[in-house]
Amino acid sequence: MKQLIALLVVSAAALNASAQAPQPPEIAARNYILLDVTANKVLAEREADAPQDPASLTKLMTAYLVFDALKQKRLTLDQHMTVSKRAWDERKGDPSLMFIDTTMTPTVDELLRGLIIPSGNDAAVALAEGVGGSVEQFVAMMNRQAQAWGLKNTSFTNVTGLTQPSHKSSARDVAMIAVHIIQDFPEYYPYYSQKEYTYNKIKQHNRNMLLTRDPTVDGMKTGYTDAAGYCLVASAQRDFPNGKRRLISVVMGTASKEARASESQKLLNWGYSAFDALRLFDGSQAISTVPVWKGAEKTAKLGAAGPVFVAVPRGEGAKLQTRVEHTDPLVAPLAKGQRVGTLKVTTAAGVPVAEVPLVVQEPVELAGLLGRAWDALRLWIK
């Protein structure tokens, strides 16, 4: 995930430096970003690092911490939760509700559905109290997680996304949270594709219109406040000859529910049509074989931790160039998975496309005493 974080904070300017780079369509949003998750590449962005009111996009982080508590077995999906007066009081404000009250004991599974599908503020508070002990402690957990990921433009003061002066995030940071949910908790991601939910005999529809318009969209979260405008994180996965390809768009500050859906759809369609995602190497494939000093083996095979995909303007894939940079001299012992180099992918003009960490595929043990002594002498002469 460190590789993904590094690429997310890189501007799309390097990609657009190429004369052949496709230009994104006009997007009627204050801020946006389009990310190719498969290739770990930002395809387009505008003011993606500007702190904004995130509205209910906040609930992505709320859900992430609940998913983590489930993974750590501090909660179970069938565990019943109490509903505090504080959670019930959410109905006095924003209309985004699951409609729980203090006489109910919904399960964690029910609360997650209420949080994600109708964007229930009451569900957010109930879950926060159940995981953190109090809303305030849970908010502190949210901020610690944001800091651990290096989200420099995010500061949480509540779990719902209601407007407060210091409650901020950015399009890039929101995209980061969304990617973490998809990659860290694939078992829980299907919550975001559910189109409707009925609880307490009240049926509510998911506010993400793209779930019913585009069969390849399988998430993720809407948001609205007067300060934020209409916001949407949309995630789509489409099949291509070289495998599945996932894009995520984040639009913030659009004018209406229809606008956030149509502008997100415009970004996704452009990303899929204007760029190719090329599979350069398989995860098990040796990308380079390099010499090793003082080792029982004289060489080591370097490869990526997983398949290597890159996103390039359509038709430009044949012009890519790759270069391997590695530690030199490379001295044993070497552990499997140890990072010792980088695969750099550029266009023919030298414009950076991707940088992929390279790791040792098989361990290399130390050579015997004589072998180590001989290589030490050779290194000294070198």
Side-chain angles (χ1 to χ4, degrees):
M1 191 59 65
K2 291 181 180 178
Q3 174 197 350
L4 172 61
I5 292 172
L7 286 167
L8 271 174
V9 299
V10 172
S11 167
L15 188 64
N16 292 331
S18 170
Q20 293 77 30
Q23 296 301 307
E26 285 296 321
I27 300 298
R30 184 170 54 233
N31 318 83
Y32 73 80
I33 191 168
L34 177 65
L35 171 68
D36 189 320
V37 179
T38 305
N40 293 348
K41 189 71 177 182
V42 175
L43 303 182
E45 61 181 88
R46 180 167 68 215
E47 299 293 332
D49 294 310
Q52 302 290 333
D53 188 315
S56 285
L57 304 188
T58 300
K59 296 186 179 93
L60 290 171
M61 181 65 91
T62 306
Y64 183 93
L65 293 181
V66 178
F67 296 152
D68 187 60
L70 289 166
K71 182 178 181 178
Q72 302 299 327
K73 301 191 184 304
R74 293 184 284 117
L75 289 179
T76 62
L77 285 174
D78 58 0
Q79 180 177 336
H80 288 269
M81 309 290 280
T82 59
V83 178
S84 68
K85 183 178 183 299
R86 183 170 184 174
W88 181 83
D89 280 345
E90 289 294 324
R91 68 179 56 205
K92 296 178 181 179
D94 191 273
S96 298
L97 296 167
M98 177 183 173
F99 295 103
I100 51 177
D101 63 44
T102 55
T103 67
M104 300 175 178
T105 56
T107 64
V108 171
D109 175 73
E110 290 171 329
L111 287 170
L112 277 169
R113 295 177 191 275
L115 173 77
I116 292 168
I117 301 162
S119 195
N121 290 340
D122 46 1
V125 171
L127 286 167
E129 291 175 331
V131 173
S134 70
V135 171
E136 290 72 23
Q137 290 179 9
F138 190 87
V139 170
M141 293 168 61
M142 294 169 72
N143 285 313
R144 285 196 296 271
Q145 187 64 72
Q147 291 167 9
W149 288 338
L151 306 188
K152 300 183 183 301
N153 301 299
T154 295
S155 175
F156 296 114
T157 60
N158 63 64
V159 301
T160 60
L162 293 180
T163 302
Q164 290 181 315
S166 58
H167 187 87
K168 301 292 181 184
S169 192
S170 68
R172 195 186 311 276
D173 286 358
V174 168
M176 178 89 68
I177 300 169
V179 171
H180 272 290
I181 289 175
I182 293 170
Q183 295 188 340
D184 296 353
F185 303 114
E187 67 272 35
Y188 301 125
Y189 179 62
Y191 279 115
Y192 290 94
S193 64
Q194 188 170 338
K195 297 180 177 66
E196 61 185 36
Y197 180 50
T198 300
Y199 182 80
N200 195 25
K201 299 182 180 180
I202 301 172
K203 182 178 181 179
Q204 299 191 73
H205 295 278
N206 196 313
R207 299 174 186 185
N208 181 359
M209 295 179 180
L210 294 187
L211 289 175
T212 56
R213 296 182 182 180
D214 184 341
T216 69
V217 172
D218 54 10
M220 189 162 186
K221 191 70 191 73
T222 62
Y224 170 77
T225 63
D226 288 341
Y230 290 88
C231 309
L232 174 62
V233 180
S235 179
Q237 183 169 263
R238 298 185 185 179
D239 291 320
F240 287 85
N242 62 350
K244 295 182 182 296
R245 183 180 174 204
R246 180 172 294 281
L247 301 186
I248 286 179
S249 67
V250 180
V251 297
M252 303 177 75
T254 69
S256 66
K257 295 178 182 178
E258 175 58 38
R260 71 185 175 192
S262 61
E263 298 307 283
S264 297
Q265 185 77 76
K266 192 188 301 181
L267 272 174
L268 292 171
N269 288 343
W270 174 79
Y272 280 118
S273 63
F275 290 85
D276 292 323
L278 305 177
R279 189 183 188 119
L280 299 185
F281 300 98
D282 292 324
S284 59
Q285 184 177 354
I287 294 174
S288 181
T289 300
V290 298
V292 176
W293 300 82
K294 300 184 181 182
E297 304 292 337
K298 295 303 181 184
T299 60
K301 292 181 179 180
L302 308 185
V308 178
F309 286 87
V310 295
V312 294
R314 178 147 291 181
E316 295 291 311
K319 303 176 184 178
L320 292 181
Q321 298 179 351
T322 60
R323 184 176 78 256
V324 171
E325 296 181 357
H326 64 86
T327 303
D328 187 25
L330 193 57
V331 180
L334 300 173
K336 182 177 181 179
Q338 179 179 340
R339 179 175 178 178
V340 295
T342 303
L343 173 70
K344 293 190 174 183
V345 185
T346 64
T347 66
V351 178
V353 173
E355 291 190 6
V356 181
L358 294 181
V359 299
V360 177
Q361 291 190 315
E362 297 296 336
V364 178
E365 305 294 336
L366 275 172
L369 180 60
L370 288 178
R372 296 200 306 272
W374 175 243
D375 277 358
L377 178 61
R378 293 172 63 210
L379 281 170
W380 181 77
I381 295 172
K382 181 181 177 181

